[in-house]
Amino acid sequence: MDVFLETFLNWRIVQEAWPILWQGFQATLLLSALVVPLGLAGGVMIALLSTATTPWVRWPLRVWVDTFRALPPLVLLVFIFAGLPFIGLDVGAWGAVAIGFFLNTGAYYGEILRAGIESVPRGQIEAARSTGLTRGQAMAYIVLPQAVRNVLPDLISNTLEVVKLTSIASVVALPELLFQARQAQSVTYNATPIMAAAVAYFVLLWPVVRLLSRLENRQLAGRR
Amino acid sequence: MTGWERFTDSFFNARVMAEYLPKIVDGFVLTVWLALLIIVAGLALGLLLAVLRAFGLRPLNWLIVFTVDLFRALPPLVIIVLLFFGLPNAGIELSGFVASWLALTLVLMAFAEEIFWAGITSVPKGQWEAARSTGLGFVQTLAFVVLPQALRITIPPLTNRTIAITKGTALASVVAVQDILGAANAGVSFSFNPSPLTLGAIAYLILFFPVVVLGRWIETRFAWRR
Amino acid sequence: MSPAPIVDARAIHKHFGHLHVLRGVDLQVAEKELVFLIGPSGSGKSTLLRCLNRLEEPSAGSVTVDGIDMLDPRTDINKARQRIGMVFQSFNLYPHMTALGNVALALRKVQGLPRADAEAKAQAALERVHLADRADHYPAQLSGGQQQRVAIARAIALEPRVMLFDEPTSALDPELVGGVLAVMRELREDGMTMVVVSHEMGFARAAADRVVFMADGLIVETGPPGEIFANPQHERTRAFISQIERH
């Protein structure tokens, strides 16, 4: 037990590693604030394109979305970070993360928003158009607000996953929380910094998990 | 060299691809094994926790809910790193394969428990009452009446969640497992050419593209028909 | 002196939080008797019915059915419930099983019959409710009236000593009520002891031995249907009956 405390919950080490960890924590927040809007923007684009009726848009879009849902995000990230420089495209760690997350999380957000748009009855668009709103106005004022509301739990859930996923940026040496914790561990020869990072993630995300489990219970019960 | 030649020479270099294809195939097999072991253990443990939770024992349920929340809130890579790089400091050595398997199993367990539990609670009270009125016991009612109905509506969310977590097997490459990505990374650093990464990406697409399409089909098939 | 009643509930109280739903109810039912419970909604009649097979736990009082003390913790409640069939307002058929599967489940899992025997018995029960030809149908493929008759078959297949009906026709379209009532009447003619909560006054008149009127968690008045309907003694009963008759 002492060994365990000494190794994983060592207060002296936490103090020692604090400046490094704090930098990492801030970087994780910054990274999340970058990639969540980026993914959402990609998602909205995909969802709007998927309302197109022509198969020349729908099918390539579907293949695009399923490709990026099938590729593990880490594979995509490594490909961009370590592969592209071979043809002279060196985008750096932040650039690689931004592109990778745009492609990956955009596909997921796109699927969710598409399902949301499809859940809004056709009569809503027809009613809006009958009062003289344009197609774009009907989308913006009538359909999208209802769509977002209908899939809100899925949107929050995906956002939670995106924030958790920022930890893979440590693989391309972007100094976010996990990377900094590994650095601190290698300096202190002690696992406490990683434990501290885990605690930080948990404290940050637990309220979201609680909220989600409420929403999801309600949603599944409503499906019957 | 033109830009196009440079591109194909880098990403579709036949000589390099031929050289590293066997390694990628080995990695493919390893990834499939890891994924299957995670799915079997994660779903079984998740179902077990959901069933235990149905008994309604307060302190036990608090423990289950906390465990589930914990593994839903922690990034899988953090858990893998903690198990693989952290535990040795306390004198416990796990192989990268075991650390990855354990971490992702715990994550899938947590998500699966949550989904199974939502399914169980969505079965109307009248089903319990009807079954109990014919003399079926609590466990019998759960097993024969409630769970079959609960499982049916959990299939779509469970499928998608399982696919998403299984894709996390690529994280194992971080702890030196020679899965697809691990083998591809090794190939790149030996050959100074990113073609092994192309092979790896293709391997993942072969593995997961059909699964994603299947998940999409299951979603539309099961979701609104009752 | 009449023989000992088959259902004997005494001084039943039931609280739901601050609500006092049953305030000391006595109900005795003789063998082969059909007792009709009527009363305004919230009078406690359904709660009383559910106390008889302990789907609700009475807060106080005693319940004996066929000589078994239902509230004794040593009683094997699952065994005891086999002698008490129950039919619900919302049918509560298992949607993932066929009609035959619904009826056979308890025969197999509680009585431990081999599959073939259980299914033969279940088939016979479905025959009694005139649905032998629907054995392979799932609940979603049956009309409401047919579903309720399958629910009756599910209960009678266990050969209960008493049947409890909790508003069995309230959820049905009017044209489907007749088939369910016909099955109940046949049960009655076969000598089944029945306790029925329902608003089907015509059925009560024609088939009940005794009508019990409840209000505010108490039994207000009890007697043969002819007397209760034609000549109620209490003001509450009179008001309730005249209101029902108007519909």
Side-chain angles (χ1 to χ4, degrees), chain C residues 177-217:
Chain C
V177 169
V180 172
L181 293 183
V183 166
M184 289 171 68
R185 193 182 287 233
E186 287 166 25
L187 270 183
R188 154 117 189 92
E189 279 155 14
D190 292 344
M192 178 64 76
T193 309
M194 294 160 74
V195 184
V196 181
V197 171
S198 169
H199 296 294
E200 296 291 337
M201 295 304 154
F203 182 71
R205 270 211 188 85
D209 295 299
R210 193 150 56 95
V211 173
V212 173
F213 175 70
M214 289 182 71
D216 300 328

Side-chain angles (χ1 to χ4, degrees), chain A residues 123-139 142:
Chain A
Q124 292 291 312
I125 287 202
E126 287 166 0
R129 298 300 299 273
S130 79
T131 63
L133 295 185
T134 65
R135 205 184 118 77
Q137 285 174 320
M139 247 322 158
I142 309 296

Side-chain angles (χ1 to χ4, degrees), chain C residues 27 33-38 204-205 208-214 219-234 237 241:
Chain C
L27 180 71
E33 195 181 17
L34 194 162
V35 173
F36 225 79
L37 295 179
I38 61 172
R205 270 211 188 85
D209 295 299
R210 193 150 56 95
V211 173
V212 173
F213 175 70
M214 289 182 71
I219 291 180
V220 176
E221 189 169 351
T222 174
E227 267 175 45
I228 295 273
F229 290 122
N231 188 20
Q233 298 300 305
H234 285 262
T237 322
I241 300 236

Side-chain angles (χ1 to χ4, degrees), chain B residues 132-136, chain C residues 52-54 63-72 74-86 110-111 158-162 164:
Chain B
R132 297 305 303 271
S133 81
T134 63
L136 291 171
Chain C
L52 298 182
N53 68 349
R54 232 177 96 187
V63 178
T64 311
V65 177
D66 198 21
I68 296 169
D69 181 353
M70 297 294 290
L71 304 183
D72 188 333
R74 284 166 301 182
T75 298
D76 179 348
I77 189 67
N78 296 328
K79 220 167 162 188
R81 278 180 180 151
Q82 297 244 295
R83 300 157 172 259
I84 311 170
M86 188 163 200
V110 187
Q111 297 193 342
L158 300 165
E159 295 169 12
R161 303 276 287 123
V162 186
L164 311 176

Side-chain angles (χ1 to χ4, degrees), chain C residues 46-64:
Chain C
S46 281
T47 308
L48 175 61
L49 199 70
R50 294 155 61 86
C51 282
L52 298 182
N53 68 349
R54 232 177 96 187
L55 277 185
E56 289 310 341
E57 199 79 36
S59 312
S62 71
V63 178
T64 311

